[in-house]
Amino acid sequence: MTTHKNLLSGPEPTHLPENEEAYRLLGEESRPPAEVVAKHPTFVLAWAMLADDAFEGGRVVESYAYARTGYHRGLDALRRSGWKGHGPIPWSHRPNRGFLRCLAALARAADAIGETEEKERCWQFLKDSSAEAYTELAR
């Protein structure tokens, strides 16, 4: 018996690859995100952390720049992982969290500098990609 995939169900979830070295530097060695980014510029979680730290420190334009960099690095990684511009990016998969956090950080920073269309587009992208991430990050 042959089973067929439901072609109307949408794309499979995208799972970004792990970077154990970068996680080790952040976790076990407690290295600052800027140092981790310098060694692993494609590790988007560190970009998200930089964006969040800058935003919390009132450095909104800096936060926007970090978030946008991480967002674009994340898009590149998603495409390399087979993502075709839409479909689920599960929050439950640890490596996806950096991209999803960058997307939320970009929405917050865009709002803070008056980029209303970008803010709305980013929040919608986050919601469409991972309802769980949207619930967690859109506070």
Side-chain angles (χ1 to χ4, degrees), residues 24-69:
R24 186 184 62 71
L25 290 173
L26 281 176
E28 293 172 24
E29 294 192 20
S30 299
R31 299 293 175 94
E35 187 177 321
V36 176
V37 162
K39 291 178 187 260
H40 300 278
T42 61
F43 186 63
V44 293
L45 177 60
W47 288 107
M49 294 171 77
L50 289 169
D52 289 346
D53 290 346
F55 193 84
E56 290 169 14
R59 300 180 318 276
V60 178
V61 172
E62 186 178 324
S63 176
Y64 181 87
Y66 287 137
R68 181 159 281 292
T69 300

Side-chain angles (χ1 to χ4, degrees), residues 3-104:
T3 58
H4 299 280
K5 181 180 174 189
N6 180 355
L7 298 177
L8 299 177
S9 67
E12 292 292 317
T14 302
H15 297 98
L16 293 174
E18 292 277 355
N19 184 333
E20 292 300 332
E21 169 69 12
Y23 282 113
R24 186 184 62 71
L25 290 173
L26 281 176
E28 293 172 24
E29 294 192 20
S30 299
R31 299 293 175 94
E35 187 177 321
V36 176
V37 162
K39 291 178 187 260
H40 300 278
T42 61
F43 186 63
V44 293
L45 177 60
W47 288 107
M49 294 171 77
L50 289 169
D52 289 346
D53 290 346
F55 193 84
E56 290 169 14
R59 300 180 318 276
V60 178
V61 172
E62 186 178 324
S63 176
Y64 181 87
Y66 287 137
R68 181 159 281 292
T69 300
Y71 167 78
H72 283 287
R73 292 286 189 158
L75 286 176
D76 292 343
L78 285 166
R79 289 181 188 113
R80 282 192 303 275
S81 295
W83 185 73
K84 303 292 186 207
H86 66 284
I89 305 167
W91 174 254
S92 60
H93 183 65
R94 180 174 76 158
N96 290 355
R97 290 185 178 195
F99 172 74
L100 296 167
R101 284 182 55 183
C102 280
L103 190 52

